[in-house]
Amino acid sequence: MSEAWPQDSRRPPPPGVGAERTRDTILRAAASLATVDGLDGLSIGSLAAALGMSKSRVNAHFGSKTELQLATVAEAARVFDAEVVQPALGAPTGLGQLAAVCETFFEHLERHTFPGGCFMASAALEIGIRPGPVRDLIASFQSRFGDLIRGFAATALAMNELSAGEDPDRLAFELNGILLAADTNFVLHNDSAVLDLARQIVRQRLGVSQA
């Protein structure tokens, strides 16, 4: 994205830059609100109030509530990719990435990136039984994340970093369960001991030492 013009400059910003930044700001606020009020609870009014903007200014960026929800899910996915997936991909291939993706998830929670914990976990429970494009987008994200963990496990197995009888599908399912349990309990208790326990369980399951 282009840099903002200096405040003392009389030149206007390039066309569309201000609108793009405003939309980004709105969507980040929407993702945070959705983890507290739910995706269905998102409204132009609540977003405008949270941002100190007029309803008409917020409404100008979205044609419908469904469009707002889809854009909010996409923004949450972008944040998750930046905070969880990309750092894990930078770890050593195989077991290193498998352990890293769990750790980056715990760090994502620890930073309180969203006040209600993992956006996709809460959204999946809320929207999971409601057919439509929002549910499909959330389901697609969840499937990709599951496939990522499974891929890390399969690579670790191929590199002989896991026992020969390990099943990548089962291991991915187990690790996902640990991540979700950590998310739920951390949101409920806001206690870092929850994440420390989850870390210990992951390390023991993977047979890796503490970093």
Side-chain angles (χ1 to χ4, degrees):
M1 188 181 296
S2 302
E3 293 294 324
W5 293 105
Q7 291 185 355
D8 59 352
S9 173
R10 297 192 180 188
R11 295 177 63 188
V17 168
E20 182 180 351
R21 287 179 176 166
T22 299
R23 182 181 172 89
D24 290 346
T25 299
I26 292 171
L27 288 176
R28 187 57 187 268
S32 291
L33 284 174
T35 63
V36 177
D37 298 333
L39 271 171
D40 204 43
L42 274 182
S43 68
I44 298 299
S46 63
L47 276 175
L51 291 164
M53 297 169 62
S54 68
K55 289 184 180 180
S56 60
R57 190 177 178 193
V58 175
N59 192 54
H61 293 273
F62 308 99
S64 66
K65 183 170 184 175
T66 297
E67 182 183 333
L68 171 61
Q69 290 176 332
L70 289 171
T72 300
V73 172
E75 168 63 10
R78 184 197 66 77
V79 171
F80 190 90
D81 181 73
E83 292 198 1
V84 179
V85 176
Q86 293 305 316
L89 288 172
T93 302
L95 192 60
Q97 291 179 327
L98 192 57
V101 76
C102 296
E103 177 57 30
T104 55
F105 182 88
F106 298 143
E107 292 173 353
H108 174 67
L109 297 180
E110 214 160 26
R111 280 191 293 270
H112 295 278
T113 299
F114 297 120
C118 176
F119 177 98
M120 293 299 174
S122 59
L125 289 176
E126 178 192 1
I127 306 296
I129 58 173
R130 305 180 191 179
V134 179
R135 177 196 175 281
D136 292 345
L137 185 59
I138 295 169
S140 174
F141 170 87
Q142 295 284 42
S143 294
R144 291 198 306 273
F145 186 57
D147 289 342
L148 180 76
I149 298 176
R150 189 180 303 109
F152 289 160
T155 299
L157 182 62
M159 295 174 64
N160 298 315
E161 294 180 322
L162 294 171
S163 62
E166 193 70 79
D167 181 346
D169 289 314
R170 177 170 178 169
L171 179 56
F173 189 86
E174 288 181 41
L175 292 176
N176 250 321
I178 295 169
L179 300 185
L180 291 175
D183 174 53
T184 300
N185 284 279
F186 186 65
V187 171
L188 283 172
H189 304 293
N190 192 27
D191 186 351
S192 60
V194 168
L195 300 182
D196 291 339
L197 176 60
R199 287 182 170 107
Q200 292 172 19
I201 294 170
V202 167
R203 290 170 187 144
Q204 183 178 25
R205 180 66 181 87
L206 297 180
V208 298
S209 59
Q210 183 170 348

